[in-house]
Amino acid sequence: RTGGPHACMRHCDGESEHELNAGLTEVQAKLTPIARRYKGVGVADLWSLAAVTAVEFLGGPLVPWRPGRQDFAAEQSAPDGRLPDPDGGATHLRRVFNRMGFS
């Protein structure tokens, strides 16, 4: 309920401005024309489908996927700082994921 894509990355003043999302501008550039072409597909669904496809393509597990995510407006973006810092170490990762209910 509080994680996952809500399509806020598509907004220039939304989650695309978060420091830890800096590498996603190339993905954003590739997905934007697809989202414009297929108006019936939600942008949040498109981003999540791209993510699970990338995981599988790179040799990871097949991730079950289903459509139905809601596209949010820029002002509904998640606050910065919710993603784990890749340089934060194991303790940091545990703290971030524990607060999301993972153990």
Side-chain angles (χ1 to χ4, degrees):
R1 295 193 150 225
T2 62
H6 299 298
C8 290
M9 286 293 298
R10 73 184 189 279
H11 303 295
C12 61
D13 56 346
E15 294 173 25
S16 62
E17 295 297 312
H18 296 183
E19 181 181 353
L20 293 176
N21 285 334
L24 294 177
T25 54
E26 186 176 332
V27 175
Q28 187 178 30
K30 292 182 184 304
L31 292 179
T32 298
I34 296 169
R36 287 186 184 135
R37 181 173 179 185
Y38 299 99
K39 301 268 186 215
V41 177
V43 180
D45 279 341
L46 182 61
W47 273 85
S48 65
L49 181 59
V52 300
T53 301
V55 168
E56 183 180 357
F57 179 79
L58 294 171
L62 180 61
V63 178
W65 182 88
R66 65 179 183 269
R69 289 155 192 82
Q70 183 179 359
D71 290 347
F72 283 12
E75 58 272 6
Q76 294 173 292
S77 290
D80 199 0
R82 291 189 52 185
L83 293 174
D85 183 343
D87 298 321
T91 301
H92 168 70
L93 289 173
R94 284 187 196 96
R95 185 172 52 248
V96 170
F97 288 110
N98 283 342
R99 95 173 162 230
M100 293 183 206
F102 295 98
S103 59

